[in-house]
Amino acid sequence: MVQQGWLVWCGERYEVAGVTGKKKKLLIVGNGMAAGRLLDELIKRDVSGFEVTVIGDERQGSYNRIMLSPVLAGETDVPAIIGKPSSWYRDRGIRFVSGVQVKAVERERKCVLTSEGNRLRYDHLILAVGSRPAKIPAENQQLNNIYSFRTLRDVDRLLNVARFHDRQSRKTDTDALVIGGGLLGLEAAYGLALKGLRVTLVHRSGWLLNRQLDKTAGGYLQRVLEEKNIRFILNDEVARFSGSHELKSAELKSGQSLSCKLCVIATGITPNKELGLAAGLKGARGVAVNPYMATSDEDISAIGECVEFKGETFGLVEPIWQQCITLAERLCNNIKLPFENTPVPTKLKVSGVNLFSAGDFITTDEHRELVYRDDKAGIYRKLLLRDNRIVGAVLFGDARDGQDYFTMLSEKKDVSKIAPFLLMGRAFYQDSDQQQDSDGAVAA
Ligand SMILES: Cc1cc2nc3c(=O)[nH]c(=O)nc-3n(C[C@H](O)[C@H](O)[C@H](O)COP(=O)(O)OP(=O)(O)OC[C@H]3O[C@@H](n4cnc5c(N)ncnc54)[C@H](O)[C@@H]3O)c2cc1C
């Protein structure tokens, strides 16, 4: 039998809720991709010992944030990316508190305080509060039509501007400014350009995707995106925005002024660590966790982009899925499966752009560099070797062998015998590898 209600004690509202019996209260704060995947992993195992509550400040159930770029580009729609509608939680006996923010964790009382002034108790708390868009130091960011690119709400607003542009089309040009030449900025620029907006992207580094690609590959990428009607200004930053209420222009540090009616700031992410750190949990860049996703308080775990593990934070889902499995194993089966932060390859969700990057991407004296380059065809393939092992791969234009190289990199395979064939494609290096094996077998 489920009891639900509120107890007012010393002027404070406490929740009285729970399944009678000995179920532990498992409270998940944040209902993004990490929470969604954790719920799947918990349900796959035995979650009957827990009464699960999820509380999130977005209205929707957990959705596929990765797919916001294809939604903006018009390649899919919003319903297709909502992985867990409200009925999903209801059908599985999970309590979902939507559109409510957790303001504080009160560890001594083992409860959280919500934006509505209520207190929810927990036996075990999981922080899955993600991150937020990084801020830039430009002036006048309060003007209308300056957006982030993080949530369904952001994309909804951007699509509204694009729809308005569509209605006005041919009468005026809508100039859109995107700040940031990383994965998110490029995907935002591509989506807006597809909507027919005139897009300029300002990036403070000397080439695009400078954290994943070398300068040559960044240049190839720029060329392909210019053909998709995106204009680039590199080595520059926005100093201030201008307009009365509505955005009208942006002035760059170089002094150049750009007319724009819409701006998307996509310069990186900042982990939402404050909730955990204000409660006294250890951490610096994020909430610190051990290899089992436990924080410095044994009754609190953390997963996703709010986490710091061995000094590293996270911005891609692949390692976060591993964190969810580790935590589900510990909570449901009491199994200690350590999380390991392994390298993840980079992909860009822009149709017609084939790129792959994993591991090291800037050549140094320590590397042996193998390069194939065809400027006219726009093909660039670079492998970096150290001690006869692949430690980095950058592919542009033809990324077919990326996964193979990544496997060799992850497995630390000795490629000394196949190195001359590696860039020629799978047929060559596999043949040659098998040849070496059979030669070896004969010799033995
Ligand atoms: C446009 C876009 C494209 C992306 N593309 C890729 C990609 O191609 N590949 C890839 O690997 N990754 C991609 N990512 C990154 C990926 O989406 C994130 O790594 C992932 O969403 C992180 O999951 P999370 O649960 O930690 O954070 P989130 O998904 O952000 O979830 C955190 C949730 O917690 C809520 N919250 C925060 N504070 C509170 C609070 N105090 N109380 C209640 N709720 C709170 C937030 O509103 C949010 O709903 C992309 C991200 C974006 C924005």
Side-chain angles (χ1 to χ4, degrees), residues 282-316:
K282 289 197 176 138
R285 298 178 66 201
V287 177
V289 290
N290 70 11
Y292 310 104
M293 311 320 295
T295 68
S296 50
D297 178 336
E298 61 174 14
D299 296 321
I300 305 179
S301 302
I303 48 171
E305 287 185 350
C306 63
V307 149
E308 171 190 335
F309 176 67
K310 294 186 179 169
E312 300 280 327
T313 56
F314 301 86
L316 294 170

Side-chain angles (χ1 to χ4, degrees), residues 30 32-34 57-58 65 102 129-130 150 184 304-305 316-317 349:
M33 294 196 72
D57 60 6
E58 291 190 80
R65 201 174 298 285
V102 167
V129 286
R150 177 80 199 171
L184 284 192
E305 287 185 350
L316 294 170
V317 292
K349 300 192 291 299

Side-chain angles (χ1 to χ4, degrees), residues 31 55-60 96-102 115-116:
N31 191 26
I55 175 164
D57 60 6
E58 291 190 80
R59 294 244 159 244
Q60 309 77 12
F96 172 33
V97 184
S98 85
V100 173
Q101 197 177 45
V102 167
S115 47
E116 298 176 330

Side-chain angles (χ1 to χ4, degrees), residues 35-70:
R37 179 62 183 255
L38 178 69
L39 288 173
D40 290 336
E41 295 297 336
L42 292 173
I43 285 167
K44 265 193 227 162
R45 296 166 176 84
D46 182 11
V47 77
S48 59
F50 294 106
E51 175 203 321
V52 183
T53 299
V54 191
I55 175 164
D57 60 6
E58 291 190 80
R59 294 244 159 244
Q60 309 77 12
S62 171
Y63 60 88
N64 190 344
R65 201 174 298 285
I66 291 177
M67 296 301 281
L68 289 178
S69 307

